[in-house]
Every structure is written in C-alpha cells, then in structure tokens.
C-alpha cells in the first residue's frame, strides 16, 4: 500500500478521536501514519493519552510528544486504532504481521471501540491467505508445534507452520516469545480455529481478531470507504 493511502486511512480514523480520549495505539506502517497524524494534532494543542501496542509505537509517540500511559494506570480505553493484515466483510481480521498481536489484542480488548485502518487490498472474502501469526512460549515450542499440527488437521487445514526468523535467528516479540506463521491459505471456520488455538497449551495469542472491530477505514484509489460491523 502506498504511503499516501496509509495516510488517508489514518486521517479518516483520526476523525473518531475526541479531545481528552484514552487511546489504544496500534503497530505497523499504517499505525505509524496514524501516530504521525495524531502527533500533528497534539502539537496543535489536542489532548489525548495513549497506550502503545509495541516498543516501536511507544518510541514514535515519545518522539512526537504524545502522552503515554499503561493499562495498569488506565485499564479502560475509549478507542483503539490499529492496522490489519487482512479484514473480511464482517470486520474480522488477521493481525500480527508486525509481531505485535499479543499487545494489540490486549489493548483492543481494553477499549470500548476498536477501529481498523488499512488499504482496500486487505479486504478479503475469506481470511487466511495471509499467514496467521501464532505467538508461543519459546520453552517447549517443539511440543507446542506438534499440538498445532493436530489442531490444523482437526480443522482440515494444512499444518504449514514456519518459525518466524530474522537473520537466521527466531524473532522474539516485545514480550519475549516466538511466532509460528501458519500458511493455511484459507480459514473457512475462524471461530472454531480461534477456540482451538485459545485452548492450546503453549500458545500465548494468535492473530485472529474476531468480532472486535466496530469500524474500518479502507483507503483505495477512489477514496476512503468506511465499513461498519453489523453485529446485533
Ligand atoms: C502488527 C500488525 C499490523 O497492524 C499489521 O501487520 C499491518 O501492518 P501494516 O500497516 O504495516 O501493513 O498487526 O502486529
């Protein structure tokens, strides 16, 4: 996605932010665009306080003098804004391409409203073309991997898990865990898979964000589309 589209989606979401709000602040290049746009408003006198979802986002917020807090000090947030790797029409998402989905899910769950920003190429019919990030405790990861294989098979999915690495060593998340990326291709039953992963010993968090987003701003060639979740 071009930087211009990221910026457009970010600025559209900024309209949801009101003076004095307690914000959850996402991670990734689109979230960075949001943080920069928010920084401009803060420099002009807008007051917000934010919980960042990664050390990277925290550093950018500090650079832009955006006031930060923690979920210990501020356990309830008004609004969380974050990017996504895939989003479907019901606003279910795959997140974690940037490896921050554990903190992202904790922060989004602490917020009354969760808004997603992305470009419209991330809108999919069925989740799963983007490899699903699964954060696991490093201790015993071989045994956890076997349990993941069995979960995939039980769901009729290819057990195609890759340990995320950089420069030949496993990537460690901000919380010190490792990530298996699951190349399922498509996930026909995200709710069922999420329930199985939630119950898997050794799994800390997966990147399925189901029934969480209330709204998405998706930037494309013809403008920014605003999608809302139809959840009665
Ligand atoms: C990080 C995430 C990001 O929101 C997701 O990877 C999208 O990133 P980008 O805006 O750079 O495409 O989930 O863990």
């Amino acid at each position: 996605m071009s930087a211009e589209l990221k910026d457009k989606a970010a600025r559209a979401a900024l309209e949801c932010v009101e003076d004095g709000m307690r914000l959850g602040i996402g991670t990734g290049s689109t979230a960075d665009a949001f943080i920069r746009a928010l920084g401009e408003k803060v420099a002009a006198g807008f007051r917000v306080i934010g919980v960042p979802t990664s050390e990277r986002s925290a550093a950018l917020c500090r650079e832009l003098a955006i006031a930060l807090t923690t979920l210990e000090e501020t356990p309830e947030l008004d609004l969380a804004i974050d990017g996504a790797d895939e989003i479907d029409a019901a606003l279910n998402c795959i997140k974690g391409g940037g490896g921050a989905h554990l903190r992202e899910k904790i922060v989004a769950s602490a917020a009354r409203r969760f808004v997603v920003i992305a470009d419209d190429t991330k809108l999919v019919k069925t989740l799963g073309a983007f490899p699903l990030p699964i954060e696991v405790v490093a201790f015993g990861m071989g045994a956890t991997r076997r349990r993941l294989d069995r979960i995939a098979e039980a769901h009729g999915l290819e057990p195609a898990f890759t340990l995320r690495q950089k420069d030949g060593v496993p990537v460690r998340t901000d919380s010190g865990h490792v990530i298996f990326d699951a190349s399922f291709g498509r996930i026909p039953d995200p709710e069922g898979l999420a329930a199985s992963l939630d119950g898997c010993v050794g799994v800390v968090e997966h990147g399925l964000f189901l029934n969480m987003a209330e709204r998405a701003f998706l930037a494309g060639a013809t403008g920014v589309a605003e999608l809302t979740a139809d959840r009665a």
Side-chain angles (χ1 to χ4, degrees):
M1 153 157 91
S2 75
E4 194 188 335
L5 290 186
K6 290 176 201 196
D7 189 58
K8 280 191 176 156
R11 285 182 192 277
L14 200 54
E15 298 292 314
C16 300
V17 181
E18 292 164 22
D19 194 53
M21 270 188 167
R22 302 162 297 177
L23 289 181
I25 298 175
T27 294
S29 52
T30 320
D32 283 353
F34 172 76
I35 296 169
R36 289 185 198 287
L38 182 66
E40 287 172 18
K41 284 195 88 163
V42 166
F46 199 66
R47 290 163 309 134
V48 290
I49 190 151
V51 177
T53 52
S54 62
E55 300 303 327
R56 160 189 167 165
S57 293
L60 184 57
C61 287
R62 281 190 208 102
E63 213 178 282
L64 298 166
I66 296 169
L68 297 180
T69 182
T70 62
L71 290 178
E72 285 65 47
E73 286 170 359
T74 314
E76 285 177 21
L77 305 174
D78 299 300
L79 173 68
I81 296 188
D82 205 345
D85 299 299
E86 277 187 348
I87 181 161
D88 70 13
L91 307 193
N92 292 322
C93 301
I94 286 184
K95 288 185 47 54
H101 57 284
L102 169 60
R103 293 190 187 188
E104 290 172 337
K105 200 177 273 188
I106 292 171
V107 167
S109 300
R112 284 193 295 113
R113 299 166 57 205
F114 176 46
V115 168
V116 172
I117 48 178
D119 76 297
D120 61 7
T121 64
K122 294 195 174 175
L123 184 64
V124 296
K125 263 206 162 77
T126 306
L127 297 174
F130 189 92
L132 176 67
I134 302 170
E135 183 162 346
V136 308
V137 177
F139 177 84
M141 69 169 115
T144 304
R145 162 79 199 261
R146 280 183 171 245
R147 281 189 289 276
L148 289 174
D149 286 347
R150 288 199 290 269
I151 286 173
E153 281 157 9
H155 285 269
L157 299 165
E158 193 65 34
F161 300 98
T162 308
L163 182 65
R164 196 179 294 184
Q165 302 202 37
K166 194 175 175 201
D167 302 327
V169 290
V171 168
R172 292 285 183 152
T173 66
D174 281 351
S175 300
H177 305 124
V178 298
I179 294 175
F180 285 117
D181 289 304
S183 299
F184 292 137
R186 59 193 301 276
I187 302 172
D189 176 19
E191 281 82 8
L193 179 63
S196 297
L197 294 174
D198 287 339
C200 180
V201 173
V203 169
V204 184
E205 196 50 85
H206 55 80
L208 286 167
F209 282 49
L210 308 180
N211 302 312
M212 291 180 72
E214 68 142 52
R215 197 168 299 268
F217 292 97
L218 302 183
T222 55
V224 181
E226 181 176 347
L227 274 60
T228 48
D230 188 14
R231 282 186 207 111

